[in-house]
Amino acid sequence: MHEEIWEAFEQIHATEQMKQSVSKYLLQNRRKTAKRTHAFLLRPLVSACVILMVCIGVGNWYFFEMPVSYVSVDVNPSIEIILNRRNRVTSAESRNKDGERVLKNVHLEGMDYLEAVELLVECEAMQDYLTKDAELTFTVASANAEEILAGLQNSEVTVHYQGMCRSADLDTVTSAHQCGMSLGKYQIYQLLSEYGAGLTADDCKNIPMCHLRLLLAQYEDGKKGTVNYDEIKKLEVGCGHEGGGHHHSQNHH
């Protein structure tokens, strides 16, 4: 009888040890589970934070730096100034060889568009083209074209060089670039096409801006018919500022 009672106590003792072991196991397991749960909950939070930061960065670029306006500056050099929403220059691109020559030593990025235009027109390389018969033309494609044009029309360089300011549809920018022309030249090419001048995009690329504007004025005054081959060749040569000629204008600031 005594031995049976002792064995019963032995069983109870063993059961308490088991309880302690199980309790310890459960506590450790609970801690591990809590850590995993914490990590599991943090993972999507970290991902969301990363996505949010990327979205903020893209949003800032979209709002402040994305190109939204184009200002084409044509004499014979054809140069396009691309602007962001704050009307500051994000880049400047040449659209012909004369434009490349002018932009070599001129850096416009980050400048207000009026400051950039004035610096560009007044730079030494551009002065070679601003002869008395030069036709300085600014063409603007933008949802904000009225404000930009108003600034250009009152600019010192526009007034001084008797520049012309025009607006164009944003849709034409891509078409102009596909034809290898600045926005300003492409717009005149379009207008001449409407008058039935019979000029191709390649013809207009090789004709200085002053001659294109002169030809357009003739059609606006009633000229009829297409431009023949000999006329095209005459339009391509003979301009005092063509190809970076050194006939400086004598009426600088």
Side-chain angles (χ1 to χ4, degrees):
M1 178 69 179
H2 178 74
E3 291 179 356
E4 291 176 357
I5 293 173
W6 182 257
E7 288 176 0
F9 274 109
E10 287 264 325
Q11 290 175 5
I12 293 171
H13 180 69
T15 302
E16 288 298 329
Q17 286 183 338
M18 290 176 62
K19 287 180 179 179
Q20 290 177 8
S21 298
V22 169
S23 177
K24 186 177 180 180
Y25 169 78
L26 290 175
L27 180 60
Q28 291 175 343
N29 191 57
R30 196 177 301 120
R31 287 174 179 170
K32 290 180 181 178
T33 303
K35 287 182 180 178
R36 285 198 298 268
T37 303
H38 185 65
F40 179 77
L41 292 174
L42 277 179
R43 194 174 298 121
L45 182 61
V46 170
S47 299
C49 288
V50 170
I51 293 171
L52 180 61
M53 290 174 67
V54 170
C55 289
I56 290 172
V58 172
N60 283 339
W61 178 87
Y62 179 83
F63 189 80
F64 292 113
E65 301 303 328
M66 180 181 177
V68 296
S69 303
Y70 298 81
V71 179
S72 175
V73 183
D74 295 278
V75 182
N76 188 53
S78 289
I79 295 168
E80 279 186 356
I81 299 173
I82 296 91
L83 311 177
N84 61 20
R85 292 178 186 274
R86 296 175 293 178
N87 289 338
R88 291 195 169 272
V89 179
T90 60
S91 63
E93 301 174 0
S94 63
R95 294 298 169 189
N96 60 10
K97 290 183 179 179
D98 290 338
E100 289 178 13
R101 176 176 177 266
V102 172
L103 281 181
K104 269 185 180 179
N105 299 309
V106 180
H107 303 285
L108 307 176
E109 287 79 3
M111 298 180 69
D112 174 80
Y113 80 101
L114 286 178
E115 294 176 354
V117 165
E118 289 175 3
L119 177 62
L120 178 65
V121 174
E122 294 284 27
C123 76
E124 184 178 354
M126 185 68 93
Q127 293 302 308
D128 288 347
Y129 301 90
L130 291 170
T131 63
K132 62 181 181 180
D133 62 338
E135 298 284 359
L136 178 61
T137 305
F138 300 108
T139 309
V140 177
S142 172
N144 195 30
E146 287 187 15
E147 179 185 337
I148 296 173
L149 283 170
L152 287 170
Q153 286 165 350
N154 294 318
S155 171
E156 290 184 11
V157 293
T158 304
V159 174
H160 183 76
Y161 295 105
Q162 298 180 338
M164 177 180 288
C165 298
R166 296 173 173 270
S167 63
D169 294 332
L170 271 168
D171 294 341
T172 63
V173 174
T174 301
S175 299
H177 295 172
Q178 288 174 344
C179 290
M181 283 190 279
S182 68
L183 183 62
K185 265 198 172 184
Y186 184 76
Q187 187 187 52
I188 291 186
Y189 160 65
Q190 283 186 308
L191 293 170
L192 288 170
S193 296
E194 291 175 8
Y195 280 109
L199 295 173
T200 66
D202 285 337
D203 290 333
C204 289
K205 281 169 61 177
N206 296 322
I207 297 173
M209 195 68 174
C210 63
H211 287 168
L212 285 176
R213 276 183 53 175
L214 179 61
L215 183 60
L216 179 60
Q218 291 173 0
Y219 276 99
E220 289 173 340
D221 288 340
K223 178 179 172 67
K224 303 292 183 182
T226 60
V227 181
N228 62 43
Y229 178 80
D230 290 336
E231 288 179 298
I232 292 174
K233 290 304 171 186
K234 286 180 182 179
L235 289 169
E236 290 178 353
V237 297
C239 185
H241 58 274
E242 180 192 11
H246 298 283
H247 303 282
H248 290 269
S249 174
Q250 299 299 317
N251 60 341
H252 296 166
H253 289 296

